[in-house]
Amino acid sequence: MQQPAPARLAFDDVLIDFAGRRLVRGGAAQPLEPKAFDVLALLAGSPGHVFTRDEILDAVWGHRHVTPGVLNRVMTLLRQALGEDAHHPRLLHTLHGVGYRFDLPADAAAPVPAALPADPAAEDPAAASTAAPPLTATARQPPQRRASDQPSHRRAWRWWLPPLLAALAFTGWLWWQPAERAPASAAPTGAAPAAPGVAAAGRSIAVLPLANASNDAEQQFFSDGLSESLIDALSRFEGLKVIGRTSSFQFRGGNADSASIGRRLGVSYLLGGSVQRAGDMVRINAALTRAADGSTLWAEHYDRPYRDLFALQDEITSAVAAALQVKLLPPEETTGHGDRPPSGNIDAYDAYLQGLKHWHDEDFPRAAEYMAEAVQLDPAYAMAWAHLSGARSTAAVFWKEPPVVAREHMLEARLAADRALQLAPGLGPAHAARAYVAFYGFDHRGALAECRRAVQLAPDDGTVLNGCGYTLAGIGKLHEAIALRERLLAIEPLYTVNHSEYAKLLMATGRLDDAQKYLRIAEGLSQPKSSPSIQFMYFAIARGDSRAALEVARDRPSPWREMNLAIALQASPDRAAADAALAKVLADRTWEKTDPYLVARAYALRGDYGRTVNWLERAPAGDILFMLGDPIILRARDDPRLVAFCKKAGLPPPATSEALGLDQIRAAAKH
């Protein structure tokens, strides 16, 4: 029969204080997540006893809401806290396929019986009254730390298995931006003191997606939305580099170790945990760890009414900021933030988070529906108005909506952007939303001014940097677009699209070697692996390497293979093959409707600028908008027919674009 756990266990320089729920090594307290200490109490309370994984999961978590990967992570934390070498364990042993065993060193002191008082509880009656009892393998209820953890007949917590991690390959490129020193801010009540060495280290952090611990897959939007809100809140602290959502969310599931995540994201610290929403209550577990060794700087468990969610978010971010010794930026430097409804309407926030999920899924019509619901619930919700505008305008231009519907949605987008700015004149995303409306309406001066203002107000907002990167490139301001892409690289090191778009801009400005490097990075980040990006074909054309261009074209799926072969052959010396390939494509009349812009590119490569313009006139606005960044089309930048077309379409004169024409790029490469 299993023996009751002792009150204290001491060996070497380690003290496990079961009653006080603390682990001390070398005289220093080792911060542990509550669940991690519960696992330690279970194992160390019965030295030499083998606990199966199911027994541990059942005793500590009730088994219903975690994957085995969570237990793996906890064991890693425990080994680090105990100073264990996972490859040569002395205390914590893994029995593969079975479970875990805790062994005491041969010369360890005898455990202090549970009947004896244990420090600090014996010395502090208050501590004794709140100390949780040690777990046993026969326990069936999760360990209870506070009154809010007691069973309630009014609510039943439900759990859901977190989604599986989609494996991510990374090419090894690492962006590092050391943070400036900042004076420490006072720690909030209950927060752990900052760990030694934090002040001297680069302050950089990634918020990993909070695990959805609700027994409802439909609540994924909520856990993701809270994670993104924490990213937004932490970016308001001075000298703290915060990785963006796209990159940090690629580590959903927790299978990668902290050191690997830190290297890939280029950060020193990780914030992770889980969130469970049930009825009018929300439970959040959060932990701040050092990426290098996985050691815990701060961890806390919260049970709060859902109506107190915003205060809870502030409490978490304040605790993290205190642990990292960073301070809040002055109010005038944080005007780009504000993802909460000003009225505190929690239903409006819920709709906003739903819309945000569809926004990131690039389902902009659905995103617009939820953002419209959010502003209906809180008409003063500026951030929701801004996202409503962006979703409506993007769908109107790129979703091939019927003309009448597209016009209605563009009008709605314009009004929504104006409303957002009336409510919050200093809101960066609102200026970006107005920039998109102007850009899609071929108001390039307005788009340029609004993008510059948006970036000034929200310099670290990934959505603003990405959207304005596209917009400025379309206007022909490639050097400004490159600067935005470089800024986005620093906070989104794993964002494949940004690497690809950055490479396109570099190529269009004649920086072919750099462009090739970032195309390779984008290729390495792509999951699942597919055929090489079509950008490699255009890169080869810019290099004058027709053979390489043809190899990429042949690797495309049909019918794109035929079209890309026709384009690649126009840059080859085989004129007969080029003529035959283009004739074959033109015989298929569907290209006139599906992608006339590609046919225009083929004719531009042939030097037939009259037919180039003829096919551009059939192209949709979504393609024409970005024409001034296209080196192939800009071969004809001085041709009167292209100049006239741009004027008619509402584009600036092609000569004003900072993108080089293909011939200029080739000439520069020879030098």
Side-chain angles (χ1 to χ4, degrees), residues 324-341:
L324 296 180
Q325 298 183 6
V326 292
K327 65 178 182 179
L328 194 66
L329 286 167
E332 63 271 14
E333 296 185 36
T334 61
T335 52
H337 299 273
D339 64 343
R340 300 175 184 175

Side-chain angles (χ1 to χ4, degrees), residues 252-332:
R252 186 190 301 279
N255 285 353
D257 64 273
S258 62
S260 175
I261 296 174
R263 285 193 302 270
R264 293 175 179 179
L265 295 178
V267 296
S268 300
Y269 304 98
L270 303 173
L271 178 64
S274 63
V275 58
Q276 176 190 4
R277 179 181 172 189
D280 62 350
M281 297 295 294
V282 61
R283 170 178 290 177
I284 295 179
N285 288 295
L288 177 68
T289 59
R290 287 188 183 87
D293 58 10
S295 59
T296 303
L297 278 75
W298 166 87
E300 190 54 89
H301 166 93
Y302 305 88
D303 279 336
R304 300 290 172 79
Y306 185 44
R307 64 178 180 274
D308 295 339
L309 178 64
F310 300 144
L312 176 54
Q313 290 174 324
D314 290 342
E315 188 173 340
I316 294 172
T317 53
S318 294
V320 172
L324 296 180
Q325 298 183 6
V326 292
K327 65 178 182 179
L328 194 66
L329 286 167
E332 63 271 14

Side-chain angles (χ1 to χ4, degrees), residues 640-657:
R641 289 163 292 189
L642 184 64
V643 174
F645 170 77
C646 288
K647 183 176 182 180
K648 179 181 177 182
L651 290 166
T656 63
S657 173

Side-chain angles (χ1 to χ4, degrees), residues 201-502:
R203 294 189 186 90
S204 51
I205 189 171
V207 178
L208 303 182
L210 296 173
N212 173 21
S214 302
N215 189 26
D216 184 1
E218 295 300 319
Q219 289 297 314
Q220 188 66 50
F221 82 91
F222 178 67
S223 57
D224 286 355
L226 289 189
S227 305
E228 187 163 359
S229 292
L230 289 172
I231 292 172
D232 179 80
L234 287 171
S235 66
R236 287 178 282 173
F237 287 90
E238 184 179 8
L240 183 63
K241 171 186 171 183
V242 184
I243 295 298
R245 178 192 194 278
T246 302
S247 296
S248 62
F249 272 42
Q250 295 189 28
F251 296 95
R252 186 190 301 279
N255 285 353
D257 64 273
S258 62
S260 175
I261 296 174
R263 285 193 302 270
R264 293 175 179 179
L265 295 178
V267 296
S268 300
Y269 304 98
L270 303 173
L271 178 64
S274 63
V275 58
Q276 176 190 4
R277 179 181 172 189
D280 62 350
M281 297 295 294
V282 61
R283 170 178 290 177
I284 295 179
N285 288 295
L288 177 68
T289 59
R290 287 188 183 87
D293 58 10
S295 59
T296 303
L297 278 75
W298 166 87
E300 190 54 89
H301 166 93
Y302 305 88
D303 279 336
R304 300 290 172 79
Y306 185 44
R307 64 178 180 274
D308 295 339
L309 178 64
F310 300 144
L312 176 54
Q313 290 174 324
D314 290 342
E315 188 173 340
I316 294 172
T317 53
S318 294
V320 172
L324 296 180
Q325 298 183 6
V326 292
K327 65 178 182 179
L328 194 66
L329 286 167
E332 63 271 14
E333 296 185 36
T334 61
T335 52
H337 299 273
D339 64 343
R340 300 175 184 175
S343 67
N345 187 318
I346 206 71
D347 292 328
Y349 186 64
D350 197 74
Y352 171 81
L353 294 184
Q354 288 268 25
L356 206 60
K357 174 198 178 298
H358 291 290
W359 177 285
H360 290 299
D361 290 343
E362 297 187 355
D363 185 350
F364 293 104
R366 288 281 285 163
E369 292 174 11
Y370 280 106
M371 293 300 174
E373 180 182 345
V375 298
Q376 184 177 13
L377 291 167
D378 187 346
Y381 203 164
M383 186 67 84
W385 280 111
H387 278 86
L388 173 60
S389 175
R392 283 294 190 220
S393 63
T394 301
V397 174
F398 299 105
W399 257 247
K400 297 183 178 180
E401 296 178 331
V404 174
V405 175
R407 284 194 293 270
E408 290 177 354
H409 283 170
M410 283 301 297
L411 176 60
E412 183 180 352
R414 183 175 293 106
L415 294 174
D418 290 344
R419 180 59 178 155
L421 287 173
Q422 289 171 2
L423 293 167
L427 188 63
H431 284 277
R434 181 180 273 179
Y436 308 148
V437 171
F439 179 53
Y440 297 153
F442 293 91
D443 175 10
H444 295 91
R445 289 185 178 178
L448 178 61
E450 292 293 349
C451 267
R452 286 173 172 170
R453 182 60 175 152
V455 172
Q456 180 185 27
L457 291 167
D460 297 316
D461 187 308
T463 300
V464 169
L465 295 176
N466 189 47
C468 285
Y470 281 116
T471 301
L472 293 176
I475 295 172
K477 299 294 184 181
L478 268 69
H479 297 304
E480 288 185 64
I482 285 173
L484 298 192
R485 292 288 170 194
E486 289 172 344
R487 188 176 297 179
L488 188 55
L489 284 171
I491 61 174
E492 288 283 15
L494 304 185
Y495 184 21
T496 307
V497 170
N498 190 48
H499 285 88
S500 179
E501 290 300 317
Y502 184 51

Side-chain angles (χ1 to χ4, degrees), residues 1-5 21 35 38-39 41-43 46 49 51-64 132-144:
M1 179 180 297
Q2 183 185 335
Q3 299 299 316
R21 295 183 61 79
K35 296 298 186 187
D38 293 332
V39 173
L42 180 67
L43 297 176
S46 297
H49 181 81
F51 289 91
T52 68
R53 298 175 68 90
D54 283 347
E55 285 177 326
I56 299 171
L57 291 171
D58 196 43
V60 177
W61 286 276
H63 207 138
R64 296 185 300 278
L135 286 166
T136 67
T138 58
R140 287 296 178 265
Q141 292 297 325
Q144 296 168 347

